[in-house]
Amino acid sequence: MLFYYFMLILGAIFVIGAVFAFIVMKGDRDYSFSNVGKSLGSFLVGVLLLAVTLPSLKYVVLKEYDVVSGKCVIEMTSSGRSSEADFDMLDTDEIFSFRDIPDLDAYGKAIPYYCKVTVTKDHMVEISYKIYDVKTRKLIVTSK
């Protein structure tokens, strides 16, 4: 969730900064290729970040969430200090990613779990997860 807000704020900063740079260039009448290229690049990156984050903003602000549940397999990848887990929901063929998930006893394609993943209504932003034992439905790990 923190990553979502980071992308949203960064996109807004890039767009506002690029517009400000274009205004300064017009006032100074300094249209060098370098200045125009940097400002245009910043503007395009900002628009891209906003295009990715703004469609889900309504659901995040209004806290309109869906819960996707069913059998899942969890693929863990770690690089350096952080680890990332991909929840592959077998019933719906959706994949959700979470960062800094605690270690499980076993994970991978051979070990199924029962998962409940809370996401926005458009299924673009992951909110939280709960991992249960597939047979006993005993709660193993939760994000909150």
Side-chain angles (χ1 to χ4, degrees):
M1 193 60 154
L2 186 63
F3 186 68
Y4 172 79
Y5 286 120
F6 176 72
M7 283 180 38
L8 180 68
I9 292 169
L10 196 62
I13 289 171
F14 277 165
V15 168
I16 292 169
V19 169
F20 182 71
F22 280 126
I23 292 171
V24 169
M25 274 191 287
K26 182 166 174 49
D28 293 344
R29 298 191 187 277
D30 179 25
Y31 301 112
S32 68
F33 183 73
S34 174
N35 287 343
V36 172
K38 289 177 192 176
S39 298
L40 189 60
S42 174
F43 182 77
L44 292 176
V45 168
V47 167
L48 177 67
L49 288 173
L50 290 176
V52 170
T53 56
L54 280 179
S56 299
L57 183 62
K58 177 181 96 169
Y59 301 120
V60 171
V61 170
L62 297 176
K63 296 186 180 185
E64 295 180 6
Y65 303 142
D66 266 348
V67 176
V68 180
S69 60
K71 279 188 176 181
C72 69
V73 292
I74 300 172
E75 290 292 322
M76 299 286 286
T77 56
S78 62
S79 59
R81 295 180 188 160
S82 66
S83 63
E84 186 172 311
D86 292 330
F87 288 61
D88 187 3
M89 304 300 288
L90 300 177
D91 299 336
T92 61
D93 289 332
E94 292 180 287
I95 298 175
F96 302 106
S97 296
F98 290 94
R99 296 177 145 264
D100 298 325
I101 180 172
D103 287 333
L104 300 169
D105 292 337
Y107 52 86
K109 292 195 180 285
I111 309 297
Y113 291 100
Y114 184 80
C115 301
K116 289 185 180 180
V117 179
T118 305
V119 294
T120 56
K121 291 269 187 196
D122 61 354
H123 292 214
M124 296 300 289
V125 179
E126 297 89 358
I127 306 298
S128 66
Y129 63 86
K130 292 182 181 179
I131 303 171
Y132 298 89
D133 183 78
V134 74
K135 294 176 184 159
T136 64
R137 301 288 162 96
K138 180 183 173 193
L139 182 63
I140 299 172
V141 176
T142 184
S143 63
K144 291 187 178 182

